[in-house]
């Protein structure tokens, strides 16, 4: 099997009901995202994208092994926040422990990742918009989604950047969290 050719991320998928609410908020702030609504566990912070020169089937086997040991994760969004010195706004999570534990299992695994300069912060991106005025920023910071949700699938996505600034997203693998 060939190695990875594009930036490849590992994410926890949000359930459709919650994802639709996040999409609604994103649309209010003209944010179009390449990925579906998710919480990235490898690729954006903590550890970088998958190193290209490794066998994808070995990576998928390792992810499946971790998923078999990981029970579905209960989540509730916290407040909206932003990363320092950026225009990236996101939902925090009220309890990050289980997501951080999953991230740490990936870090300790035999999967190879590129380095990433940012510490790991579980989050769900809402907006990356430098043209927000103060009132829009305040409205965004006050957004809430208060229902509990279950993160029970992990997906591997590849992003292929096209010359015309378009990005093709490919789902490479998806497995259920099924630990007890």
């Amino acid at each position: 099997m060939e190695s990875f050719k594009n930036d490849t991320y590992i994410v926890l998928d949000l359930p459709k009901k919650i994802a639709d609410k996040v999409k609604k908020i994103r649309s209010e702030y003209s944010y179009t995202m390449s990925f579906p609504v998710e919480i990235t566990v490898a690729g954006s912070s903590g550890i970088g994208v998958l190193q290209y020169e490794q066998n994808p089937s070995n990576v998928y086997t390792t992810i499946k092994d971790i998923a078999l040991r990981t029970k579905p994760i209960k989540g509730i969004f916290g407040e909206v926040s932003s990363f320092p010195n950026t225009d990236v706004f996101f939902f925090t999570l009220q309890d990050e422990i289980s997501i951080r534990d999953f991230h740490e299992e990936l870090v300790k695994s035999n999967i190879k990742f590129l380095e990433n300069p940012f510490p790991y912060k579980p989050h769900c991106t809402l907006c990356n918009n430098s043209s927000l005025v103060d009132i829009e920023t305040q409205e965004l910071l006050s957004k809430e989604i208060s229902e509990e949700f279950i993160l029970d699938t992990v997906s591997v996505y590849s992003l292929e950047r096209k010359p015309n600034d378009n990005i093709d997203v490919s789902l490479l693998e998806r497995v259920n969290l099924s630990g007890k």
Side-chain angles (χ1 to χ4, degrees), residues 11-156:
V11 307
L12 294 166
D13 301 296
L14 282 159
K16 182 176 178 358
K17 180 180 173 189
I18 300 296
D20 287 346
K21 291 180 180 197
V22 171
K23 286 178 193 173
K24 184 176 184 298
I25 294 170
R26 287 177 173 178
S27 70
E28 292 174 31
Y29 295 92
S30 304
Y31 183 60
T32 54
M33 176 83 172
S34 301
F35 284 146
V37 180
E38 46 73 33
I39 296 169
T40 305
V41 288
S44 66
S45 63
I47 47 181
V49 296
L50 295 172
Q51 280 186 10
Y52 297 133
E53 299 303 319
Q54 59 186 320
N55 183 327
S57 65
N58 292 344
V59 170
Y60 303 148
T61 298
T62 300
I63 292 169
K64 285 176 188 167
D65 290 345
I66 294 169
L68 285 170
R69 298 190 310 265
T70 305
K71 64 182 177 184
I73 299 169
K74 288 183 183 176
I76 299 177
F77 288 136
E79 65 187 10
V80 174
S81 186
S82 64
F83 288 114
N85 304 312
T86 74
D87 299 310
V88 178
F89 291 84
F90 56 88
F91 271 122
T92 60
L93 287 118
Q94 288 185 14
D95 181 357
E96 299 179 346
I97 293 171
S98 296
I99 297 169
R100 285 184 176 278
D101 288 348
F102 187 84
H103 171 82
E104 200 53 40
E105 287 294 316
L106 293 170
V107 170
K108 294 186 302 191
S109 76
N110 62 356
I111 301 172
K112 297 178 186 79
F113 300 93
L114 297 178
E115 288 190 23
N116 187 297
F118 305 107
Y120 184 61
K121 174 65 179 165
H123 67 280
C124 178
T125 304
L126 291 173
C127 177
N128 183 0
N129 188 337
S130 60
S131 65
L132 293 180
V133 295
D134 284 347
I135 192 156
E136 290 172 315
T137 301
Q138 293 309 312
E139 287 172 1
L140 182 56
L141 290 170
S142 71
K143 295 291 184 186
E144 292 181 2
I145 297 177
S146 57
E147 298 103 288
E148 183 177 271
F149 51 85
I150 302 292
L151 302 168
D152 61 2
T153 58
V154 59
S155 296
V156 180

